[in-house]
Amino acid sequence: MMPRPDRFYILVGFTLLMVSGVLLRPMMPIDETRYLSVAWEMRLGDHWLVPFKNGTPYDHKPPLLFWLMNLVWLPGVSETAARLVAPAFSVATLWATGRVSDAMGLGRDTGTAAMLILTTGAAFLFYGGETGFDTMLALSVVLAVWQLWRIAQDQTFKTGQWALFGAALALGVMSKGPVVFVHVLPPLAGLWLWAPRTPRVVPGVAVALAACIGLVGLWLLPALVLGGADYREAVLWTQTAGRTVSSFAHAHPVWYYLPLLPVLLFPWGWLPGFWKRLPLDAPERLLWIATLGPLLIFSLISGKQLHYLVPQLPWIAILLARRWPDRIRHGWIPASILIVLAIAFCLLAFGVAGDEAALLLTWPIAITVAIPLLAVAGVIALRPGLTMLAGPAAITALHLCYTLGPAGDIMSPARLAQRLAPADGHIAMISSVYHADFHFAGRLQHPFKLLTTPEDIERFAKSDPKGVILGQPERAPMPSWPPAETIYYRNENWALWSTKDKP
């Protein structure tokens, strides 16, 4: 094997990439803005058990991320600090990937290679820097499967080991809900396929579930009492079974993941040298089951997105690391992708994808970003051993588009939030749904009223002479008088109507 960087430097390099990503691009709507707003509302209203969004219980996700954001806010509220919470779990997942590879007895070189592959893979770089729940879930999945491997190696039944497995599951449940079982059940159900000896599964699972339920119950039970009937129904039924049977959003066909797999595998999986057939020893069987099992289950479920597979990326990284070739060849393949990306930036800037895309990226910015991309492509084509540069180059180029060009301003809620802030407590929005884009950005302290009919607009205008109505002029209904200001945000015009201007 060719020499690879020390694990310490891999962790430091990945951490710097995560920090730079947070600093280079704005808080992105609608997920990041929503999660920071929920944490902000938790702080404002002391809603420590039941998260709130726009004044009502938020039942979509457990509170762990929002607790941690408030923890880093103890010295003072900071957008940057809050946005570094989820990436910190990416760094922990990276470390755990190397350690679980070591635990499988694959050798330190393989564990280090897995960390290098994970840290320079475009998918983990992209999703690892986002404020969301997938990297928290990924860490819990790696810890759970790591513990399952330890259980399978032990000759005796140890209650403590199964309890630790349950604790890892509890971390997953508190991170993103019961979806952690989709990721962990395949390795657990397939124990007889990969474990050298099948442990006493039934009593072990009972211990694990007891530990998981006990830990989660410390939050869930009082939250169910305080949250009310609607919150109980949503948490216990709608958010899990309902999404499984029929997606509320993100409904995709069974074959949805197939055309997206190349994205998950870029750049290492694109190199022919990493595709070898290895003997199906115990680690190999476990890795394939942990990778393909959740992929199959999610394919059969209605609602799914690409980032749902982030917890599978550590297993993919170890599978590829086991196949690390003596010499990396065919650097022209990842180099070609970078060239295509550079050309795509230029085409977007010149309006090939439409006027809305062209507004996000001016041609001077596109060329400024494309030139280094082309330079990195040339280096990789000449020195395939430097393929590790492909993923960081692609992600950094994307982030630079935000910080150098108009995209950062257009996608940020900051301008609208600043206009809304003086009217806090007198704001209404023309919509049936508000994703909390502006509450954290504007440090707003009062929920928006939601207006859905012309009668709602008229009533609000008459009842609040200091009111401000936020809406999108292209969508009906809208106030009968002209807006005071219009701001372009998320590729749409957003208008502000002052009720004092109502004739």
Side-chain angles (χ1 to χ4, degrees), residues 157-178:
F157 182 89
K158 292 182 179 176
T159 304
Q161 288 196 343
W162 283 101
L164 285 175
F165 176 61
L169 294 176
L171 173 62
V173 173
M174 291 301 294
S175 298
K176 201 179 177 182

Side-chain angles (χ1 to χ4, degrees), residues 8 15 36 39 55 57 68 110 143 156 188 202 235 259 262 279 287-288 291 374 402 491:
F8 172 77
T15 301
L36 266 75
L68 295 174
T110 298
L143 294 177
T156 58
L188 178 62
V202 173
V235 170
L287 291 167
W288 279 112
T291 301
L374 294 173
Y402 284 113
N491 285 342

Side-chain angles (χ1 to χ4, degrees), residues 157-481:
F157 182 89
K158 292 182 179 176
T159 304
Q161 288 196 343
W162 283 101
L164 285 175
F165 176 61
L169 294 176
L171 173 62
V173 173
M174 291 301 294
S175 298
K176 201 179 177 182
V179 70
V180 65
F181 293 104
V182 173
H183 298 279
V184 176
L185 273 179
L188 178 62
L191 262 169
W192 60 279
L193 289 172
W194 59 265
R197 51 173 294 278
T198 305
R200 295 170 60 197
V201 174
V202 173
V205 169
V207 171
L209 286 178
C212 178
I213 293 171
L215 290 170
V216 175
L218 294 175
W219 157 72
L220 185 60
L221 292 178
L224 292 177
V225 172
L226 292 173
D230 291 343
Y231 185 77
R232 281 193 292 276
E233 181 180 351
V235 170
L236 295 178
W237 172 251
T238 313
Q239 289 299 334
T240 301
R243 284 179 184 273
T244 303
V245 174
S246 178
S247 172
F248 308 147
H250 321 307
H252 295 292
V254 172
W255 48 265
Y256 169 75
Y257 284 120
L258 287 179
L260 294 175
L261 286 178
V263 178
L264 285 179
L265 298 175
F266 182 79
W268 302 99
W270 290 50
L271 299 176
F274 284 83
W275 290 92
K276 300 174 185 173
R277 186 173 180 178
L278 297 183
L280 284 173
D281 55 11
E284 189 76 0
R285 288 196 293 269
L286 171 57
L287 291 167
W288 279 112
I289 291 171
T291 301
L292 297 180
L295 174 64
L296 177 62
I297 294 172
F298 279 124
S299 295
L300 298 175
I301 291 174
S302 172
K304 47 185 167 287
Q305 295 195 85
L306 182 60
H307 62 80
Y308 289 3
L309 297 183
V310 167
Q312 272 54 66
L313 294 177
W315 313 134
I316 294 173
I318 299 176
L319 282 168
L320 291 171
R322 296 196 76 189
R323 291 158 172 79
W324 192 284
D326 294 332
R327 183 182 176 189
I328 296 177
R329 297 184 175 89
H330 304 288
W332 60 270
I333 298 177
S336 300
I337 300 303
L338 294 184
I339 293 170
V340 169
L341 187 60
I343 294 173
F345 280 136
C346 295
L347 292 178
L348 286 173
F350 282 100
V352 173
D355 294 339
E356 289 185 353
L359 289 174
L360 296 172
L361 191 64
T362 61
W363 66 265
I365 302 301
I367 293 175
T368 301
V369 172
I371 290 174
L373 268 181
L374 294 173
V376 173
V379 169
I380 293 174
L382 294 172
R383 298 281 302 275
L386 295 176
T387 294
M388 67 183 73
L389 299 177
I395 296 301
T396 302
L398 182 63
H399 289 161
L400 284 174
C401 289
Y402 284 113
T403 196
L404 296 177
D409 194 33
I410 291 173
M411 297 305 292
S412 170
R415 279 195 305 160
L416 265 171
Q418 288 167 4
R419 302 294 196 283
L420 291 168
D424 190 18
H426 304 275
I427 303 170
M429 181 175 177
I430 306 174
S431 177
S432 60
V433 179
Y434 169 51
H435 295 292
D437 295 38
F438 311 108
H439 264 74
F440 178 76
R443 304 298 192 266
L444 306 179
Q445 302 191 16
H446 300 88
F448 290 179
K449 290 184 173 69
L450 300 183
L451 314 176
T452 58
T453 67
E455 292 76 19
D456 290 342
I457 296 172
E458 288 296 317
R459 276 194 293 271
F460 178 77
K462 289 179 181 176
S463 65
D464 194 338
K466 298 179 181 177
V468 169
I469 300 174
L470 172 67
Q472 293 152 284
E474 289 84 2
R475 301 184 186 183
M478 61 178 144
S480 56
W481 64 98

Side-chain angles (χ1 to χ4, degrees), residues 6-26:
D6 185 85
R7 292 186 181 190
F8 172 77
Y9 296 113
I10 293 175
L11 287 168
V12 170
F14 183 72
T15 301
L16 292 176
L17 285 169
M18 294 295 98
V19 173
S20 68
V22 168
L23 296 177
L24 287 174
R25 65 173 174 78

